[in-house]
Amino acid sequence: MRRCSHEFCFAGLVISCHLLREHHHVGAFTHPSSSLGHRRTFNPPTIASNGCSVTDINIITRTASTILPPRNASPSGIDEWSQLSQAAVFFGTYASLALATYPCTKLLETLSQSVIGLERWRIYVIDSTLPILLGTFFFVAGMGHFLAGEAFREIYPPPGTWGIWYVPGSAAFHVAWTGVVEILGGAGLLFGGIRDAFGLSEEEEEEGNLIYNFLKPISASILFLLTLLVTPANIYMFTHGAVMGDNMAPLGMSFHVVRFAIQVQFLTLLLTLARDGFFFAWGDELD
C-alpha cells in the first residue's frame, strides 16, 4: 500500500503541474457542487497484484488520458521509423525537389521562347511582374520570422533529428538570420522590379545600371538557395508532425503534398528569374 500511495501521489503531482502549465482554470481543482450536501457510500477498493488499488489505477489512467493528451503525432508515422530510414526520407525529399523542379523549369523556358517570346517575356515577366510578386512574398515572410518568431522556432528540427541533424546554433538564431535574408532578398526583388516597371532604369546613368541590372538575379539566386536551406523545417513538419504553435491541429498528408508542389513552383520561378535575369543583364552590358 505504501508503494501505491507513492505512485498515486507522484501521478497527482505530475497532473497538477501539467494543469498549471496549460493554464487550466482554478475551477478544475474544486469539488463539483453536486458532491456537496450528501454523503457518498464507501466501497472497499480492490487491491491489484502490485499493491495498488484498481480504483486508484483507473483514476490515474482516466485523468492522464484526459488532461495529458499526447503531443501532435506525425500523420506520416515516419518519426516511428529507424533513424536510417528517416535519413533516407530527408535526402529523398531533396532529390524529389530536384526531379520535380527541373522539368518545370524547362517547361517555363519553352513557354518563354516559343509561346510568349523573349522580348515580351523580359518586359512583362522578368523585369516587372515576377520580381514584384516574389519580392512581396519573401519580404512579408521575412517579417513573419520576427512578428511570429515562436511559431517558426517550433518547426526548427532539434539536434539529432533523423540521426543526421547536428547544425550549430539555436533555433532562435536560425529563425532570425533566415528572416533577415528573406527581407533583404525580397527588398532587392521589389526595388528592381518596381524600378523597371515604372521605367526608372532609363533615367539612371549608364555606370549605375551595372549594379541595378544584376540586383534582381542576385536576389533571386540568394532566395533560391535560402529556400533549399530552410527545407529541413518543412521536412521536420512532415516526418515528425511539428506545427507552428501548440494550438495548431496536426497537418494531414494532403497539406504536405500541396506544400511540396508549391515549393517546387517557388524554386522554379526563382531559378528562372535568376537565370534569365543574368542572361538579360549580361546582354545589356555587352550592348
Side-chain angles (χ1 to χ4, degrees):
M1 292 298 293
R2 180 175 300 179
R3 177 184 175 186
C4 172
S5 177
H6 290 329
E7 292 180 356
F8 186 77
C9 292
F10 176 74
L13 179 60
V14 172
I15 295 171
S16 300
C17 293
H18 184 80
L19 283 169
L20 292 175
R21 181 171 64 85
E22 295 294 335
H23 306 288
H24 281 262
H25 55 75
V26 179
F29 296 98
T30 59
H31 294 286
S33 57
S34 60
S35 64
L36 299 179
H38 69 276
R39 190 172 296 178
R40 304 177 64 179
T41 304
F42 173 75
N43 295 321
T46 303
I47 305 302
S49 59
N50 60 357
C52 294
S53 70
V54 175
T55 302
D56 291 343
I57 295 176
N58 291 335
I59 292 175
I60 296 174
T61 304
R62 289 196 304 269
T63 307
S65 61
T66 304
I67 303 179
L68 301 175
R71 292 186 61 85
N72 293 328
S74 170
S76 65
I78 297 176
D79 55 338
E80 300 294 334
W81 297 2
S82 66
Q83 289 190 337
L84 182 61
S85 299
Q86 293 182 32
V89 173
F90 178 86
F91 293 111
T93 302
Y94 272 101
S96 300
L97 285 174
L99 292 175
T101 301
Y102 178 76
C104 291
T105 304
K106 298 300 292 184
L107 176 61
L108 204 57
E109 180 181 357
T110 302
L111 290 176
S112 65
Q113 295 178 358
S114 304
V115 180
I116 302 176
L118 286 179
E119 184 176 356
R120 287 186 299 174
W121 174 257
R122 176 180 182 178
I123 295 174
Y124 297 110
V125 179
I126 298 300
D127 283 350
S128 55
T129 304
L130 193 54
I132 290 176
L133 292 178
L134 291 176
T136 301
F137 173 82
F138 280 99
F139 185 86
V140 173
M143 294 295 296
H145 282 231
F146 299 96
L147 298 178
E150 181 62 29
F152 283 91
R153 289 190 288 271
E154 288 289 333
I155 62 174
Y156 181 80
T161 305
W162 313 296
I164 58 174
W165 187 257
Y166 295 99
V167 178
S170 64
F173 168 75
H174 290 290
V175 169
W177 78 260
T178 54
V180 170
V181 174
E182 286 186 347
I183 291 173
L184 294 178
L189 291 180
L190 272 174
F191 178 80
I194 293 175
R195 175 176 171 273
D196 288 339
F198 289 93
L200 301 179
S201 58
E202 300 177 358
E203 302 176 2
E204 299 290 342
E205 297 181 359
E206 185 176 354
E207 296 180 356
N209 283 340
L210 178 62
I211 299 176
Y212 293 133
N213 287 341
F214 285 97
L215 181 60
K216 292 195 300 292
I218 290 176
S219 299
S221 300
I222 292 174
L223 291 175
F224 176 83
L225 294 175
L226 181 67
T227 302
L228 293 176
L229 290 176
V230 301
T231 297
N234 299 337
I235 300 176
Y236 181 56
M237 296 177 70
F238 169 60
T239 59
H240 288 70
V243 293
M244 301 181 73
D246 293 335
N247 296 327
M248 188 174 183
L251 302 172
M253 293 297 296
S254 59
F255 168 84
H256 296 289
V257 172
V258 172
R259 198 258 304 282
F260 179 86
I262 293 175
Q263 186 172 0
V264 169
Q265 300 309 312
F266 270 107
L267 290 173
T268 299
L269 294 176
L270 288 170
L271 184 58
T272 299
L273 180 57
R275 182 198 59 201
D276 292 356
F278 278 119
F279 174 79
F280 292 130
W282 278 119
D284 292 342
E285 293 302 316
L286 293 178
D287 291 341

mmCIF file of all heavy atoms in Angstrom, residues 85-111:
data_model
loop_
_atom_site.group_PDB
_atom_site.id
_atom_site.type_symbol
_atom_site.label_atom_id
_atom_site.label_comp_id
_atom_site.label_asym_id
_atom_site.label_seq_id
_atom_site.Cartn_x
_atom_site.Cartn_y
_atom_site.Cartn_z
ATOM 1 N N SER A 85 16.148 5.039 -41.878
ATOM 2 C CA SER A 85 15.022 5.246 -42.782
ATOM 3 C C SER A 85 14.602 6.715 -42.801
ATOM 4 O O SER A 85 14.245 7.258 -43.851
ATOM 5 C CB SER A 85 13.844 4.364 -42.370
ATOM 6 O OG SER A 85 14.196 2.994 -42.422
ATOM 7 N N GLN A 86 14.648 7.366 -41.633
ATOM 8 C CA GLN A 86 14.306 8.783 -41.579
ATOM 9 C C GLN A 86 15.304 9.621 -42.379
ATOM 10 O O GLN A 86 14.918 10.572 -43.075
ATOM 11 C CB GLN A 86 14.272 9.260 -40.126
ATOM 12 C CG GLN A 86 13.159 8.651 -39.299
ATOM 13 C CD GLN A 86 13.127 9.182 -37.888
ATOM 14 O OE1 GLN A 86 13.472 10.334 -37.637
ATOM 15 N NE2 GLN A 86 12.720 8.344 -36.946
ATOM 16 N N ALA A 87 16.585 9.266 -42.289
ATOM 17 C CA ALA A 87 17.597 9.977 -43.068
ATOM 18 C C ALA A 87 17.363 9.779 -44.563
ATOM 19 O O ALA A 87 17.571 10.703 -45.363
ATOM 20 C CB ALA A 87 18.994 9.499 -42.679
ATOM 21 N N ALA A 88 16.921 8.591 -44.944
ATOM 22 C CA ALA A 88 16.624 8.323 -46.353
ATOM 23 C C ALA A 88 15.478 9.208 -46.839
ATOM 24 O O ALA A 88 15.499 9.704 -47.972
ATOM 25 C CB ALA A 88 16.286 6.852 -46.542
ATOM 26 N N VAL A 89 14.476 9.424 -45.983
ATOM 27 C CA VAL A 89 13.369 10.312 -46.335
ATOM 28 C C VAL A 89 13.867 11.746 -46.484
ATOM 29 O O VAL A 89 13.455 12.479 -47.397
ATOM 30 C CB VAL A 89 12.257 10.234 -45.277
ATOM 31 C CG1 VAL A 89 11.187 11.281 -45.532
ATOM 32 C CG2 VAL A 89 11.639 8.843 -45.257
ATOM 33 N N PHE A 90 14.771 12.154 -45.606
ATOM 34 C CA PHE A 90 15.331 13.514 -45.655
ATOM 35 C C PHE A 90 16.009 13.762 -47.000
ATOM 36 O O PHE A 90 15.705 14.744 -47.691
ATOM 37 C CB PHE A 90 16.321 13.693 -44.504
ATOM 38 C CG PHE A 90 16.996 15.023 -44.478
ATOM 39 C CD1 PHE A 90 16.416 16.106 -43.848
ATOM 40 C CD2 PHE A 90 18.229 15.203 -45.088
ATOM 41 C CE1 PHE A 90 17.041 17.348 -43.824
ATOM 42 C CE2 PHE A 90 18.864 16.435 -45.079
ATOM 43 C CZ PHE A 90 18.268 17.510 -44.444
ATOM 44 N N PHE A 91 16.944 12.904 -47.367
ATOM 45 C CA PHE A 91 17.657 13.091 -48.629
ATOM 46 C C PHE A 91 16.753 12.818 -49.831
ATOM 47 O O PHE A 91 16.919 13.439 -50.887
ATOM 48 C CB PHE A 91 18.890 12.191 -48.667
ATOM 49 C CG PHE A 91 19.950 12.573 -47.671
ATOM 50 C CD1 PHE A 91 20.223 11.755 -46.584
ATOM 51 C CD2 PHE A 91 20.660 13.753 -47.807
ATOM 52 C CE1 PHE A 91 21.198 12.106 -45.661
ATOM 53 C CE2 PHE A 91 21.631 14.113 -46.886
ATOM 54 C CZ PHE A 91 21.901 13.284 -45.810
ATOM 55 N N GLY A 92 15.804 11.918 -49.654
ATOM 56 C CA GLY A 92 14.870 11.645 -50.735
ATOM 57 C C GLY A 92 13.989 12.840 -51.060
ATOM 58 O O GLY A 92 13.600 13.048 -52.218
ATOM 59 N N THR A 93 13.668 13.642 -50.035
ATOM 60 C CA THR A 93 12.865 14.836 -50.265
ATOM 61 C C THR A 93 13.616 15.833 -51.133
ATOM 62 O O THR A 93 13.054 16.434 -52.063
ATOM 63 C CB THR A 93 12.489 15.490 -48.926
ATOM 64 O OG1 THR A 93 11.765 14.548 -48.124
ATOM 65 C CG2 THR A 93 11.635 16.727 -49.147
ATOM 66 N N TYR A 94 14.902 16.008 -50.852
ATOM 67 C CA TYR A 94 15.713 16.913 -51.678
ATOM 68 C C TYR A 94 15.818 16.387 -53.104
ATOM 69 O O TYR A 94 15.751 17.163 -54.082
ATOM 70 C CB TYR A 94 17.105 17.084 -51.071
ATOM 71 C CG TYR A 94 17.181 18.197 -50.062
ATOM 72 C CD1 TYR A 94 17.149 17.939 -48.694
ATOM 73 C CD2 TYR A 94 17.293 19.521 -50.470
ATOM 74 C CE1 TYR A 94 17.220 18.950 -47.767
ATOM 75 C CE2 TYR A 94 17.360 20.554 -49.552
ATOM 76 C CZ TYR A 94 17.324 20.263 -48.202
ATOM 77 O OH TYR A 94 17.384 21.281 -47.281
ATOM 78 N N ALA A 95 15.994 15.093 -53.253
ATOM 79 C CA ALA A 95 16.069 14.516 -54.590
ATOM 80 C C ALA A 95 14.749 14.703 -55.342
ATOM 81 O O ALA A 95 14.745 15.010 -56.544
ATOM 82 C CB ALA A 95 16.417 13.033 -54.495
ATOM 83 N N SER A 96 13.634 14.553 -54.628
ATOM 84 C CA SER A 96 12.325 14.741 -55.255
ATOM 85 C C SER A 96 12.129 16.192 -55.690
ATOM 86 O O SER A 96 11.551 16.455 -56.755
ATOM 87 C CB SER A 96 11.216 14.324 -54.282
ATOM 88 O OG SER A 96 11.342 12.962 -53.923
ATOM 89 N N LEU A 97 12.599 17.136 -54.873
ATOM 90 C CA LEU A 97 12.509 18.544 -55.251
ATOM 91 C C LEU A 97 13.292 18.817 -56.528
ATOM 92 O O LEU A 97 12.825 19.542 -57.421
ATOM 93 C CB LEU A 97 13.025 19.430 -54.115
ATOM 94 C CG LEU A 97 12.117 19.611 -52.905
ATOM 95 C CD1 LEU A 97 12.843 20.385 -51.806
ATOM 96 C CD2 LEU A 97 10.834 20.338 -53.299
ATOM 97 N N ALA A 98 14.478 18.242 -56.631
ATOM 98 C CA ALA A 98 15.297 18.443 -57.828
ATOM 99 C C ALA A 98 14.628 17.824 -59.054
ATOM 100 O O ALA A 98 14.570 18.454 -60.125
ATOM 101 C CB ALA A 98 16.680 17.843 -57.616
ATOM 102 N N LEU A 99 14.114 16.609 -58.898
ATOM 103 C CA LEU A 99 13.489 15.922 -60.024
ATOM 104 C C LEU A 99 12.211 16.623 -60.483
ATOM 105 O O LEU A 99 11.858 16.565 -61.670
ATOM 106 C CB LEU A 99 13.173 14.476 -59.643
ATOM 107 C CG LEU A 99 14.385 13.568 -59.416
ATOM 108 C CD1 LEU A 99 13.937 12.200 -58.916
ATOM 109 C CD2 LEU A 99 15.198 13.423 -60.702
ATOM 110 N N ALA A 100 11.516 17.288 -59.558
ATOM 111 C CA ALA A 100 10.277 17.980 -59.921
ATOM 112 C C ALA A 100 10.552 19.392 -60.442
ATOM 113 O O ALA A 100 9.826 19.879 -61.316
ATOM 114 C CB ALA A 100 9.345 18.043 -58.717
ATOM 115 N N THR A 101 11.588 20.049 -59.938
ATOM 116 C CA THR A 101 11.871 21.422 -60.335
ATOM 117 C C THR A 101 12.467 21.499 -61.735
ATOM 118 O O THR A 101 12.149 22.418 -62.506
ATOM 119 C CB THR A 101 12.835 22.080 -59.326
ATOM 120 O OG1 THR A 101 12.243 22.044 -58.028
ATOM 121 C CG2 THR A 101 13.118 23.526 -59.705
ATOM 122 N N TYR A 102 13.308 20.552 -62.081
ATOM 123 C CA TYR A 102 13.994 20.608 -63.379
ATOM 124 C C TYR A 102 13.015 20.608 -64.555
ATOM 125 O O TYR A 102 13.092 21.497 -65.429
ATOM 126 C CB TYR A 102 14.975 19.450 -63.502
ATOM 127 C CG TYR A 102 15.679 19.405 -64.842
ATOM 128 C CD1 TYR A 102 16.716 20.286 -65.133
ATOM 129 C CD2 TYR A 102 15.301 18.479 -65.819
ATOM 130 C CE1 TYR A 102 17.357 20.259 -66.364
ATOM 131 C CE2 TYR A 102 15.936 18.448 -67.048
ATOM 132 C CZ TYR A 102 16.957 19.334 -67.311
ATOM 133 O OH TYR A 102 17.580 19.310 -68.538
ATOM 134 N N PRO A 103 12.077 19.661 -64.658
ATOM 135 C CA PRO A 103 11.152 19.700 -65.796
ATOM 136 C C PRO A 103 10.255 20.938 -65.795
ATOM 137 O O PRO A 103 9.902 21.450 -66.868
ATOM 138 C CB PRO A 103 10.335 18.414 -65.646
ATOM 139 C CG PRO A 103 10.483 18.027 -64.227
ATOM 140 C CD PRO A 103 11.839 18.483 -63.805
ATOM 141 N N CYS A 104 9.888 21.426 -64.606
ATOM 142 C CA CYS A 104 9.079 22.652 -64.549
ATOM 143 C C CYS A 104 9.860 23.845 -65.099
ATOM 144 O O CYS A 104 9.300 24.698 -65.803
ATOM 145 C CB CYS A 104 8.633 22.916 -63.111
ATOM 146 S SG CYS A 104 7.426 21.740 -62.469
ATOM 147 N N THR A 105 11.149 23.902 -64.797
ATOM 148 C CA THR A 105 11.990 24.983 -65.310
ATOM 149 C C THR A 105 12.128 24.895 -66.821
ATOM 150 O O THR A 105 12.060 25.911 -67.528
ATOM 151 C CB THR A 105 13.371 24.931 -64.652
ATOM 152 O OG1 THR A 105 13.226 24.971 -63.231
ATOM 153 C CG2 THR A 105 14.223 26.117 -65.095
ATOM 154 N N LYS A 106 12.322 23.688 -67.337
ATOM 155 C CA LYS A 106 12.436 23.507 -68.782
ATOM 156 C C LYS A 106 11.131 23.865 -69.482
ATOM 157 O O LYS A 106 11.136 24.448 -70.583
ATOM 158 C CB LYS A 106 12.834 22.070 -69.093
ATOM 159 C CG LYS A 106 14.181 21.645 -68.537
ATOM 160 C CD LYS A 106 15.311 22.505 -69.071
ATOM 161 C CE LYS A 106 15.552 22.275 -70.560
ATOM 162 N NZ LYS A 106 16.720 23.044 -71.069
ATOM 163 N N LEU A 107 10.010 23.520 -68.881
ATOM 164 C CA LEU A 107 8.712 23.857 -69.452
ATOM 165 C C LEU A 107 8.530 25.369 -69.514
ATOM 166 O O LEU A 107 8.057 25.910 -70.533
ATOM 167 C CB LEU A 107 7.596 23.226 -68.628
ATOM 168 C CG LEU A 107 6.157 23.564 -69.045
ATOM 169 C CD1 LEU A 107 5.893 23.090 -70.473
ATOM 170 C CD2 LEU A 107 5.161 22.952 -68.069
ATOM 171 N N LEU A 108 8.900 26.066 -68.442
ATOM 172 C CA LEU A 108 8.781 27.523 -68.424
ATOM 173 C C LEU A 108 9.719 28.158 -69.446
ATOM 174 O O LEU A 108 9.377 29.175 -70.069
ATOM 175 C CB LEU A 108 9.094 28.035 -67.012
ATOM 176 C CG LEU A 108 8.512 29.396 -66.618
ATOM 177 C CD1 LEU A 108 7.005 29.400 -66.775
ATOM 178 C CD2 LEU A 108 8.893 29.730 -65.189
ATOM 179 N N GLU A 109 10.869 27.567 -69.632
ATOM 180 C CA GLU A 109 11.807 28.072 -70.638
ATOM 181 C C GLU A 109 11.234 27.929 -72.037
ATOM 182 O O GLU A 109 11.353 28.842 -72.879
ATOM 183 C CB GLU A 109 13.126 27.311 -70.526
ATOM 184 C CG GLU A 109 14.180 27.757 -71.517
ATOM 185 C CD GLU A 109 15.459 26.961 -71.402
ATOM 186 O OE1 GLU A 109 15.536 26.097 -70.505
ATOM 187 O OE2 GLU A 109 16.389 27.193 -72.190
ATOM 188 N N THR A 110 10.597 26.805 -72.299
ATOM 189 C CA THR A 110 9.985 26.587 -73.611
ATOM 190 C C THR A 110 8.846 27.576 -73.866
ATOM 191 O O THR A 110 8.709 28.130 -74.967
ATOM 192 C CB THR A 110 9.459 25.146 -73.714
ATOM 193 O OG1 THR A 110 10.544 24.232 -73.502
ATOM 194 C CG2 THR A 110 8.833 24.896 -75.070
ATOM 195 N N LEU A 111 8.033 27.805 -72.857
ATOM 196 C CA LEU A 111 6.928 28.751 -72.998
ATOM 197 C C LEU A 111 7.435 30.162 -73.256
ATOM 198 O O LEU A 111 6.863 30.891 -74.074
ATOM 199 C CB LEU A 111 6.059 28.726 -71.739
ATOM 200 C CG LEU A 111 5.224 27.469 -71.494
ATOM 201 C CD1 LEU A 111 4.509 27.559 -70.153
ATOM 202 C CD2 LEU A 111 4.220 27.251 -72.620
#
